[in-house]
Amino acid sequence: MSPRRHVAFACSVIGAGVVALDGTVLTIAQPVLQRDLGADTGQVQWTSTGYLVAVASLLVFAGRLGDRYGHRRLFVVGCLGFAGASAGIAAAPGIGWVVALRVLQGVAGALLQPATLGMLRAVYPPDRLGMPVAVRTSVIGLAAAAGPLIGGALVDAYGWRAVFLLGVPPTLAIALLCLAVPYEEAAPGRSGHGRAGNPASASPGWGSRRRSQAARLKRGTPPPAGPAGPSRPALAALRALDLPGAALLGLALAALVQGLVHGPAAGALPALAVAVTAGIAFFRHERRAPEPLVPPGMLRRGPVAAGLGALLAVSAALSGTLFTATYLFQDTLGLGPLPTALRMVPLALLMIVGAPVSAVLAKRYGARRTATTGAGLLAAGVLLLARPEVTGNALATGACAALIGAGFGAVMVTATSVVVHRAAEEHAGVAGGLQQTAMNTGPVLGVALASVLLPSGTALPALAAAAALAVPAALALPGPDRPAGEPAGPAGEPAGHASGPATTGSAAAPNVRS
């Protein structure tokens, strides 16, 4: 393996792992943070939802920026911003500063997340990309699942501020490593929504514009001339980024979460009205935009839409359950942060161990059966956790956590593979951005729902119902692979692409994006 591949692999895996760890490590520290800063529940919830809204609303847009201006460049900017915001939060004097810096941290996280995958695609040929992506996905699952445990230990020993310093050294280190290693300039895989170039013929660079300009000259496209020359490329670049679409999507998500946080309060209805209006405006804009943020027809593909729906439902159920369980164990049962995290260890273990098993099951039985079973296990685990006799028993709580972890892992692996591989090849990057958006928007909605229903004691049953919504979506996923030699599927898809994970390089290593 060349040094360039070593560095790209290390940056991709560590960068994705740090972001995933940060997304969960705060959960266990929130009650202590609330008491220390004198904040109310709604303000504390925005330390999670502010970050997640910023990430979710910018992922697809950041992916396009990386395709256009270079994934390495965006990765370094994102890492430096993420580390700076994390250090600032650790020194924040009040809850307002924490929330504002968490939003900034979310913006930086959105810049670096798509770039972690883009760098891998630039240095690995297609037939060798499966294993690096599988390792990256495993690290994401491990970091996200271990977050509550690590957070509990840090809060018990050093206080809540320590959880934000955890990711600063590795993030700075990989940013400096990325800058220090020489690389060859290479053309982005695609500009806007054009077809990708042949990865096998591209040099193993980390993404830039220089060769794309040479490619335009080779095709005979004349450079802009005359006084209007400089303005036309600039306008074309802005049009290709679809800034209005990105702004409308971000506004819709932010207003939706704000309305859910307020619940029955006076500000809820105006916020929800803004969310609906912005959402309608976004869809109308996307239909008319010359280069829309989401390619036309992508969500009309049944398996893609079903996979995104399943991911949205299960991620909402998981994050909302973790949020609710933290307050239930600490405030109601009087447990400390570390004992609370220890009760959820089976969730982490089953997510990690169950992911490769789910890949094998999806290959044999199809994504439909695997994801449907996983959604059922997740819903059952959350519903059982709502029973008082279960939450008071550590063994029973661990069993519920195991069901939740196994179910979530099964749906994440199978639905992600369907979303990525059923999308058209030229839109694979956008499909990955949509998948990540679903995985980041779901927790926002789940935590918001839990925050609203927590005082009434109905949060966990409602979250179990949210998990059950993934069942009809999972039923719309493809079945087992077609037999070899069967004609290609719709839109020229090759035989055998109708179901679960593609297994480039390893039958037990699904090529998923998280």
Side-chain angles (χ1 to χ4, degrees), residues 224-252:
S231 64
R232 288 177 181 172
L235 291 176
L238 290 176
R239 189 180 300 113
L241 293 176
D242 191 16
L243 297 179
L248 288 171
L249 179 61
L251 176 61

Side-chain angles (χ1 to χ4, degrees), residues 1 201 212 216 220 239 265 274 277 290 300 312 346 348 359 366 405 418 424 437 456 486 503 510:
M1 184 185 292
S201 64
S212 63
R216 286 197 299 270
R239 189 180 300 113
V274 170
T277 303
R300 296 183 195 137
L312 186 70
V418 169
T437 300
S456 66
E486 185 170 327
T503 51

Side-chain angles (χ1 to χ4, degrees), residues 324-351:
T324 303
T326 299
Y327 279 92
L328 178 64
F329 293 149
Q330 294 190 31
D331 290 354
T332 304
L333 301 181
L335 299 177
L338 185 56
T340 295
L342 289 174
R343 290 201 173 198
M344 305 307 287
V345 165
L347 188 154
L349 294 177
L350 265 293
M351 279 183 63

